[in-house]
Amino acid sequence: MAGPRRDTRGIVDAPELFAQVRFRRREPAPVLRPYLEHYWLIDWDLPKPYASHLVPHPSVNLVFQRYGTGEDPGAGFAEVSGIGLELFTQKLEGRGRVCGVQFRPGGFRPFAPDRPVSQWTGRRLPADEVFAPPAPPSAVLDPADEDARVAALDAYLLALGPEPDPQAERAMALVELVRTDRTVRRVDELARIEGLSSRSLQRLFAAYVGVGPKWVILRYRIHEALERAESDPEVDWAALAAELGYSDQAHLIRDFTATVGVPPTAFAAH
């Protein structure tokens, strides 16, 4: 498995976020890497409030978090955040800390095998409602040493005892194919590659990813368009639409605007 991603796909205005907070990605223990993208750690101490924005990946996250103002660090808590269907906005102020676990698309089900991953889509709920034993916020959030926080995340996830699941592996491989191969643009193409009917592919994604394959294809297109808009203020949108498999430029603009909240040209100008 490759190490943590180094791209900023999904983060709206990544340079501004990194100027406001201390953001790191860390690798989990080797035995957990088949299921996890990475850990993501954020600390901040802000003189004034700041709102971060994210176009979510097709991933479930387990998030340990603490928000406070002034000298009060606030109480920590843990929650499971299912795949977000809309732009995610989080207001940060004062001092705080977040230690997150980003599961690979398809990699969450082995940790909570009793329910389809679609059960959590669009929801944020206390981790104790999903996992047993209960999640320990203080063990993860209290250590000043970053390595100790990573070790606490490893220990908790290993205690959950994920079991290898061939269907989870299949789902993870298919999502990775969509993410890396821009020629996969249609659900029926992906089903044919895998030797499945479109309906069977839909069922696999609902059970193990949490959203349908069409949603995953479209979301990765938007991530690509967002990254291009942030890196190149003079993007050729018609050419990019064709490259990403859109029927025309207007289709890309509609998807981008619906997801991010502004048209791509306005976003790039900003």
Side-chain angles (χ1 to χ4, degrees), residues 8-13 53-56 85-88 215 217-233 235-238 240-241 244 246 248-270:
T8 60
R9 292 188 178 185
I11 301 175
V12 178
D13 200 351
H53 306 282
L54 178 72
V55 178
L85 301 177
E86 300 176 343
L87 184 71
F88 175 77
W215 190 95
I217 292 169
L218 292 174
R219 179 49 52 93
Y220 281 136
R221 285 176 175 176
I222 294 300
H223 279 176
E224 177 75 16
L226 181 64
E227 188 168 65
R228 295 284 189 91
E230 290 197 322
S231 61
D232 181 2
V235 175
D236 183 337
W237 293 106
L240 180 59
L244 296 178
Y246 282 96
D248 53 33
Q249 180 178 343
H251 190 185
L252 167 59
I253 291 172
R254 285 196 301 271
D255 274 1
F256 190 103
T257 304
T259 305
V260 180
V262 295
T265 50
F267 179 85
H270 169 74

Side-chain angles (χ1 to χ4, degrees), residues 127-243:
D128 293 355
E129 294 184 16
V130 181
F131 298 127
S138 60
V140 173
L141 294 168
D142 286 354
D145 180 70
E146 183 177 307
D147 290 341
R149 284 178 248 161
V150 170
L153 289 170
D154 282 343
Y156 178 65
L157 292 168
L158 289 169
L160 294 176
E163 294 290 338
D165 183 335
Q167 289 295 87
E169 294 172 9
R170 190 180 201 183
M172 286 188 279
L174 286 169
V175 175
E176 182 66 8
L177 179 63
V178 172
R179 188 181 71 83
T180 57
D181 188 344
R182 286 285 174 263
T183 66
V184 180
R185 298 172 175 176
R186 295 173 54 87
V187 173
D188 56 356
E189 290 175 359
L190 186 62
R192 177 179 51 78
I193 290 169
E194 188 62 12
L196 292 171
S197 68
S198 293
R199 179 167 295 183
S200 295
L201 183 67
Q202 296 279 3
R203 287 198 295 265
L204 175 69
F205 270 60
Y208 283 88
V209 181
V211 289
K214 181 178 180 180
W215 190 95
V216 173
I217 292 169
L218 292 174
R219 179 49 52 93
Y220 281 136
R221 285 176 175 176
I222 294 300
H223 279 176
E224 177 75 16
L226 181 64
E227 188 168 65
R228 295 284 189 91
E230 290 197 322
S231 61
D232 181 2
E234 298 183 0
V235 175
D236 183 337
W237 293 106
L240 180 59
E243 179 184 335

